[in-house]
Amino acid sequence: MRGVLNWGYYPPKLEPNPTDEMWRADLRRIKARGFNLMKCCLWLPPQRLLDIADEEGVLIWMEYPTWHPQLTPQHLPNLIREFEEFFAHVRNHPCVVLHSLTCETGPSADIGVLKELTARCKAMIPGAVVEDDSSWIEWNRVTDFYDDHPYGNNHTWVKTLHRLRDYKALGVKPLLLGEAIAADTWTSATPLARLVGTQRPYWLPYHFQANAQWLQRFRDAGTPIDEAQLVTDSKRYAMFMRKYQIETFRCEVPDGGYVVSVIRDFPLAAMGLVDYVGRDKWPAEAWSWHGDTMLTLTTLNDRRTFAAGEPLTANIAAAGQVPPGTTWHVTITPDTPDAESLGVSTTPAISVMLPQYSVATRLRIFATLSHKGKWIAANEWPVWAIPRARPLTSGVVVARRLDEALLAQLEAGAKVLLLPDNGPGSPPLQSHWFLRGGPVVFPHAALAGVPRELLVETQHFDLAGDVIPKVSYATDVDPILMLWDNHDIREVRTHAGVYATRIGQGRLLVSTLRHDGDTNSVGNWLLGEFSHYLSEGPPPRTMLAADVIAAIRRKLTEHKLELGGAQAWKFQPDPQNEGLAKGWHKPETKDADWADIKIDRHWEGQGHATLDGWAWYRLTITVPRAFSGKEAYIKFTGVDDFYEVYVGGTKAGSGGDIPTKKTAFDEVKAHNVTNLIKAGETATIAVRVYDWYGAGGIFRPVTLTTAPDDNHGSAFIR
């Protein structure tokens, strides 16, 4: 089963009711790209679509339109009437092969209700294949198959699939990914502007204006971005992500199925196979590898780069039906016109000794599987031959973190290659869903001799790692490799991968790319290139201002106390929203009988699986004496969805916004509590949290600190 997600989104209409020609075009579009199923997610398609799907031979996964419903016994009579209408609507269509009663509802659904609705489905549609909840595998309880929605990265994908494949309850039931394998592409405002003129229809992407403003900021800073190249790179990057995850799933879970998100771009994200003006992002031939039988590439550590002068070894596997007597043909060839092959194999394994290339060279592994002279499957993968890495220059300091001494050396003229480790003095690192946005490679002397395509194609693989999130200073440094992110937001965030700048008389280059590992040829090579640039190349164009350096120095002398690392907070749900009236924000409130909770994960995984709405966290601390005479701040880095913080009974601030549903999920905010605490004395912190749906609570660190996040220097380091 190879599916595409469809939310019934067909602008400019507000309803999923386009013409028959568009229904048929969509079904033929996905068939031409190797898919055989459409998942109708949270909408009931008109009979016309089901008729056309029957005619076109496209399967339908019916996920009924009930997201976070009240599947409780008191609502059972109404639920039965509603679901029997659903089942009657689809029962006469052979294309409908899977049924999901609800989506991401979880344990709040009564199991007796689920059993009754499942029984009704099977009675009305004999042989129906039904699941209770299209969500996460641990939430499946009454089901004919197991489902999960694992949106993830390439470098964690195998581990994710092994966790799902080896789930203890899986047994003989198949594993289907009901939503997965997504990737954004860059949206150019120009064709959209031509289409809509001065109008602003509802279907315009959230990032319509933000994209143009983001590009303009870089132009104004003297580092313009070629938008046409950015669009091209984003499509290549997105296809690489999807292709790898599909191939790997077919290899690791050969009896499973998957649904790729999503058929067309929608206002929250440009993650469709069709863009906002109705154009296919990739032609059908770009998906020629995708079908009943699929070839997959396996290399050690999923590497895509190999050192010149050393062996390149790869294995090819076939997923799907392979008749006996098939013939393999595998070649490795430089990706240049009329290049001669480096090696040929008639087995699904190939190994060649690479020439001593002096420049990074793109190669192509091409494999075919044929039977009686007819191709069954074919696929190709770009890989790179990397020159031998230069030794690190002796005059360059390689460090993981800044400290006061190293900062002083920089000001005096040192050349520092900083490889952050997320410790104190390091730039802050955060894991990132690489489906959100993509890389932008800037022309820079540090990349002399480094092909842009190499960075775009290996960022998912050999170079994948954490990023410096949401940098506010991208136009104040020399950007080298950044990642744009406009997924589900009305702005474009910039995450830093590589940048350079001057500090005083010195030079600094920061890289979050992965440079370690014996098989990481490109990471090791780039380390030498960056070192050589710092030593011999032209100085960075930008210089940090004196006040920014002063802010970095303040951050390096910061005192902080992690709140709730080893110590549990006290926790109490507040279903009636009466905690304020009861004084739960005040120090004298007795909380000994409240539950214990950690703040490193959502409350659903800590005994509160069905909790939405208000709840309270409380913690009493002793303020370190080192805070004496200094300003103090409480810093939050992730709360789902809204919070208010009280110290000693006084409100110190809030995050998120309830009326606009602006979540504090990714919000980093520091609240000044200088006048609310005293060094050496106890302080009671109370946090009132409101979660409007899904997971909830404080799930990232909370810190008492003497250095605020002022986006003016202290943002450079933790």
Side-chain angles (χ1 to χ4, degrees):
M1 186 203 82
R2 306 178 302 279
V4 175
L5 195 70
N6 188 338
W7 281 317
Y9 177 66
Y10 284 91
K13 292 188 175 183
L14 292 170
E15 59 181 345
N17 193 27
T19 63
D20 288 7
E21 290 75 18
M22 183 172 282
W23 287 133
R24 197 175 300 275
D26 270 357
L27 296 176
R28 290 181 176 178
R29 168 182 281 123
I30 66 174
K31 281 182 66 177
R33 287 155 178 80
F35 297 97
N36 59 10
L37 176 141
M38 178 183 287
K39 184 180 184 184
C40 297
C41 176
L42 294 174
W43 61 291
L44 196 66
Q47 291 283 346
R48 294 177 3 260
L49 170 60
L50 301 178
D51 289 338
I52 295 170
D54 288 338
E55 296 168 10
E56 294 290 338
V58 176
L59 306 175
I60 298 292
W61 180 344
M62 200 52 251
E63 183 179 88
Y64 294 106
T66 56
W67 193 52
H68 292 237
Q70 292 183 318
L71 299 181
T72 57
Q74 57 266 41
H75 294 96
L76 184 57
N78 288 335
L79 289 167
I80 289 174
R81 284 194 294 272
E82 181 179 36
F83 273 87
E84 286 186 341
E85 289 181 11
F86 293 159
F87 303 148
H89 186 81
V90 304
R91 63 182 298 178
N92 294 321
H93 292 279
C95 64
V96 181
V97 294
L98 298 173
H99 306 259
S100 297
L101 300 181
T102 185
C103 175
E104 297 181 2
T105 295
S108 64
D110 180 82
I111 193 166
V113 170
L114 297 175
K115 289 180 177 178
E116 177 63 27
L117 295 178
T118 299
R120 298 275 175 151
C121 183
K122 290 179 178 289
M124 293 183 65
I125 311 174
V129 180
V130 190
E131 69 162 342
D132 54 351
D133 190 7
S134 184
S135 55
W136 294 277
I137 197 167
E138 295 85 359
W139 286 9
N140 292 149
R141 293 179 289 167
V142 184
T143 184
D144 293 326
F145 58 93
Y146 283 93
D147 187 0
D148 204 271
H149 297 176
Y151 293 107
N153 294 328
N154 284 7
H155 62 286
T156 60
W157 190 238
V158 171
K159 183 178 179 180
T160 296
L161 295 182
H162 286 180
R163 175 181 62 83
L164 297 174
R165 185 190 65 190
D166 300 336
Y167 182 59
K168 62 183 179 181
L170 197 59
V172 297
K173 296 179 181 179
L175 170 65
L176 308 180
L177 306 185
E179 293 181 28
I181 311 175
D184 290 341
T185 56
W186 181 261
T187 303
S188 175
T190 303
L192 279 174
R194 290 197 197 104
L195 183 65
V196 302
T198 59
Q199 302 299 311
R200 292 295 179 264
Y202 82 92
W203 52 264
L204 272 184
Y206 278 12
H207 50 263
F208 172 62
Q209 292 178 311
N211 279 15
Q213 293 166 353
W214 184 79
L215 292 171
Q216 190 61 47
R217 284 197 297 273
F218 282 101
R219 292 191 193 105
D220 292 344
T223 52
I225 297 171
D226 182 341
E227 187 176 32
Q229 186 64 63
L230 184 61
V231 171
T232 299
D233 287 347
S234 75
K235 289 180 180 179
R236 185 166 191 80
Y237 179 81
M239 176 58 85
F240 267 54
M241 185 170 194
R242 285 197 164 116
K243 185 172 185 287
Y244 169 79
Q245 293 194 8
I246 289 172
E247 291 173 354
T248 304
F249 182 87
R250 288 291 302 274
C251 186
E252 298 290 341
V253 192
D255 297 322
Y258 48 87
V259 174
V260 169
S261 297
V262 62
I263 192 165
R264 52 180 35 85
D265 289 349
F266 58 103
L268 297 178
M271 55 192 275
L273 304 185
V274 179
D275 70 14
Y276 291 102
V277 295
R279 301 172 303 191
D280 290 313
K281 293 183 184 177
W282 301 275
E285 53 266 28
W287 293 85
S288 61
W289 51 273
H290 185 225
D292 291 341
T293 302
M294 191 182 303
L295 305 185
T296 64
L297 175 70
T298 303
T299 60
L300 181 62
N301 297 329
D302 276 330
R303 63 192 298 196
R304 292 297 184 268
T305 65
F306 301 82
E310 296 183 358
L312 186 163
T313 299
N315 293 289
I316 316 296
Q321 297 296 320
V322 179
T326 53
T327 301
W328 285 93
H329 186 77
V330 184
T331 62
I332 299 178
T333 307
D335 196 14
T336 54
D338 303 320
E340 293 185 3
S341 175
L342 300 177
V344 178
S345 174
T346 56
T347 72
I350 190 168
S351 182
V352 300
M353 184 64 69
L354 293 176
Q356 288 284 1
Y357 291 110
S358 59
V359 296
T361 302
R362 199 166 184 258
L363 311 175
R364 186 180 71 142
I365 299 177
F366 182 68
T368 63
L369 186 65
S370 59
H371 184 251
K372 296 182 178 179
K374 182 180 180 181
W375 280 12
I376 297 173
N379 207 343
E380 64 178 274
W381 305 267
V383 295
W384 288 82
I386 305 298
R388 291 196 178 276
R390 305 192 211 196
L392 297 180
T393 308
S394 59
V396 173
V397 178
V398 180
R400 294 290 186 183
R401 311 173 186 179
L402 289 178
D403 57 25
E404 290 182 87
L406 187 54
L407 181 60
Q409 291 177 47
L410 267 168
E411 290 177 296
K415 299 171 181 178
V416 176
L417 176 54
L418 192 65
L419 310 176
D421 67 356
N422 208 33
S426 161
L429 297 180
Q430 187 173 300
S431 61
H432 176 65
W433 276 356
F434 290 115
L435 66 89
R436 303 177 61 139
V440 52
V441 182
F442 292 81
H444 195 275
L447 298 180
V450 180
R452 187 194 72 259
E453 296 86 352
L454 170 62
L455 297 175
V456 172
E457 294 176 7
T458 57
Q459 196 280 324
H460 277 318
F461 297 101
D462 308 52
L463 297 178
D466 293 343
V467 300
I468 305 173
K470 294 178 288 187
V471 297
S472 57
Y473 51 82
T475 55
D476 299 324
V477 297
D478 287 13
I480 298 174
L481 174 63
M482 299 286 180
L483 291 103
W484 58 268
D485 174 8
N486 56 21
H487 187 97
D488 200 9
I489 51 179
R490 296 182 184 272
E491 60 181 314
V492 182
R493 292 174 179 166
T494 309
H495 308 301
V498 186
Y499 66 84
T501 191
R502 287 177 285 150
I503 294 182
Q505 300 300 310
R507 304 180 183 186
L508 173 70
L509 186 144
V510 178
S511 174
T512 71
L513 302 178
R514 194 169 67 84
H515 294 286
D516 59 346
D518 294 338
T519 61
N520 187 5
S521 301
V522 65
N524 293 322
W525 177 62
L526 287 175
L527 206 60
E529 297 304 293
F530 292 160
S531 172
H532 180 76
Y533 157 74
L534 284 169
S535 177
E536 307 294 336
R541 180 179 55 86
T542 57
M543 173 185 285
L544 294 189
D547 57 345
V548 175
I549 297 172
I552 293 175
R553 185 166 274 110
R554 284 197 303 272
K555 188 71 174 176
L556 291 172
T557 59
E558 173 189 23
H559 295 285
K560 63 181 179 179
L561 176 67
E562 299 290 343
L563 303 180
Q567 181 183 3
W569 291 58
K570 290 295 184 178
F571 182 78
Q572 181 68 36
D574 186 11
Q576 303 303 318
N577 191 20
E578 55 190 4
L580 272 179
K582 290 183 175 181
W584 289 0
H585 58 301
K586 298 179 179 179
E588 57 267 24
T589 293
K590 306 298 182 184
D591 57 18
D593 59 344
W594 288 23
D596 288 343
I597 198 167
K598 295 284 190 177
I599 61 168
D600 60 350
R601 55 192 181 277
H602 291 89
W603 62 44
E604 278 79 0
Q606 302 185 73
H608 306 277
T610 63
L611 177 60
D612 287 326
W614 291 98
W616 286 76
Y617 293 76
R618 284 172 56 91
L619 181 70
T620 298
I621 64 169
T622 299
V623 180
R625 295 193 179 277
F627 279 69
S628 179
K630 299 180 182 296
E631 290 192 338
Y633 302 82
I634 288 184
K635 174 182 170 184
F636 289 80
T637 57
V639 181
D640 202 351
D641 289 288
F642 167 85
Y643 71 90
E644 294 174 342
V645 56
Y646 297 82
V647 178
T650 299
K651 184 178 176 180
S654 64
D657 184 68
I658 295 175
T660 62
K661 289 294 187 286
K662 177 187 176 184
T663 179
F665 186 92
D666 275 330
E667 192 174 74
V668 177
K669 209 166 186 181
H671 308 282
N672 194 320
V673 296
T674 305
N675 297 325
L676 303 179
I677 65 170
K678 289 186 179 180
E681 297 186 8
T682 60
T684 298
I685 301 163
V687 186
R688 181 178 181 234
V689 176
Y690 183 72
D691 171 48
W692 37 77
Y693 58 72
I698 307 172
F699 66 99
R700 290 192 184 127
V702 179
T703 307
L704 183 68
T705 175
T706 60
D709 276 334
D710 57 8
N711 293 323
H712 196 242
S714 62
F716 279 85
I717 58 172
R718 291 192 65 221

